[in-house]
């Protein structure tokens, strides 16, 4: 068991190192979550500074809600897809998967080792954006109500779970298809286009609602 755990840690560490060396991919994932947050917050700050009577402060609970939408529904899952697709198909695209298999490790073990590594990178990206969002929520609150510690921790846990699931799905699809581009296109299309359309499709009735909201 000790040997198995040692090998597993080594495989996970190797995958984590491989992902961290993909600086372009990590930078893109960070940009995907940070740039919209900075632009939206900066725009609200400028509006409030130019006309405080008509535009409220950029922080507070409203900004916090926007942060959760950004990281949980829109750009957070996009970053998770980018990382998961790289983890799932990166070695195939680089032509080194066969070399990994020749080491004697099973394909299942090689696949499973990718999951914690990719999830760790995904959560690091999400946590970075969440920390910046929390800072702006309090810094620009201007007297508006702000989230308490319990709400912040609960929200962070939900974001971590949601984006981890998306990342694992991306790893699975990329490993199955062997295509990063195809995985990214298909999953982002589902996340940002098809999924909202299904939610808004009134003709589907209760099927478009989460199970707990169904009558």
């Amino acid at each position: 068991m000790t040997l198995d755990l040692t090998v597993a840690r080594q495989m996970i560490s190797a995958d984590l190192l491989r992902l961290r060396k993909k600086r372009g991919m990590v930078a893109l994932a960070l940009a995907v979550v940070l740039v919209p947050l900075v632009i939206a917050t900066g725009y609200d700050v400028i509006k409030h500074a130019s006309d405080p009577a008509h535009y409220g402060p950029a922080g507070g609970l409203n900004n916090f809600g926007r942060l959760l939408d950004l990281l949980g529904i829109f750009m957070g899952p996009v970053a998770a897809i980018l990382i998961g697709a790289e983890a799932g198909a990166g070695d195939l695209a680089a032509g080194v998967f066969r070399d990994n298999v020749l080491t004697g490790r099973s394909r299942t073990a090689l696949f499973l080792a990718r999951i914690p590594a990719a999830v760790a990178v995904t959560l690091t990206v999400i946590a970075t954006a969440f920390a910046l969002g929390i800072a702006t929520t309090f810094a620009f609150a201007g007297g508006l109500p702000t989230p308490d510690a319990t709400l912040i921790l609960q929200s962070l846990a939900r974001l971590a779970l949601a984006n981890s699931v998306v990342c694992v799905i991306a790893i699975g699809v990329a490993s199955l298809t062997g295509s990063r581009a195809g995985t990214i296109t298909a999953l982002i299309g589902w996340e940002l286009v098809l999924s909202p359309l299904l939610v808004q499709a009134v003709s589907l009735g209760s099927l478009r609602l989460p199970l707990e909201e169904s009558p």
Side-chain angles (χ1 to χ4, degrees):
M1 178 64 72
T2 302
L3 179 60
D4 291 342
L5 290 176
T6 300
V7 172
R9 283 196 296 267
Q10 291 173 346
M11 293 173 65
I12 293 171
S13 298
D15 275 301
L16 182 58
L17 180 61
R18 179 174 67 82
L19 287 175
R20 288 172 56 191
K21 285 186 175 180
K22 298 288 184 178
R23 293 184 177 88
M25 180 273 297
V26 175
L28 179 60
L30 282 170
V32 161
V33 293
L34 292 179
V35 172
L37 176 61
V38 171
I39 291 175
T41 303
Y43 180 67
D44 285 349
V45 169
I46 293 173
K47 285 198 307 181
H48 178 66
S50 62
D51 191 357
H54 291 86
Y55 301 104
L61 286 175
N62 287 336
N63 181 74
F64 185 69
R66 180 175 61 193
L67 172 67
L68 298 184
D69 287 341
L70 177 69
L71 296 183
I73 300 176
F74 299 110
M75 306 318 293
V78 171
I81 290 169
L82 293 175
I83 296 169
E86 176 62 39
D91 52 359
L92 288 170
V96 299
F97 181 73
R98 181 172 298 180
D99 295 335
N100 292 335
V101 173
L102 291 177
T103 61
R105 293 164 184 164
S106 69
R107 293 173 181 264
T108 301
L110 292 171
F111 170 76
L112 292 177
R114 300 169 182 173
I115 295 177
V119 168
V121 175
T122 298
L123 294 184
T124 299
V125 170
I126 297 301
T128 301
F130 188 78
L132 177 61
I134 288 296
T136 59
T137 294
F138 283 89
F140 300 113
L144 294 177
T146 54
D148 57 23
T150 300
L151 179 58
I152 291 174
L153 292 176
Q154 289 176 345
S155 299
L156 181 59
R158 291 175 180 174
L159 289 177
L161 177 60
N163 286 289
S164 295
V165 170
V166 173
C167 180
V168 172
I169 292 173
I171 295 171
V173 174
S175 298
L176 181 64
T177 63
S179 171
R180 284 178 298 189
T183 299
I184 292 171
T185 301
L187 292 184
I188 289 181
W190 169 264
E191 184 68 31
L192 299 184
V193 180
L194 295 179
S195 183
L197 287 177
L198 289 177
V199 170
Q200 296 173 11
V202 179
S203 61
L204 294 177
S206 61
L207 293 177
R208 64 191 176 94
L209 301 176
L211 291 178
E212 64 271 12
E213 296 180 8
S214 300

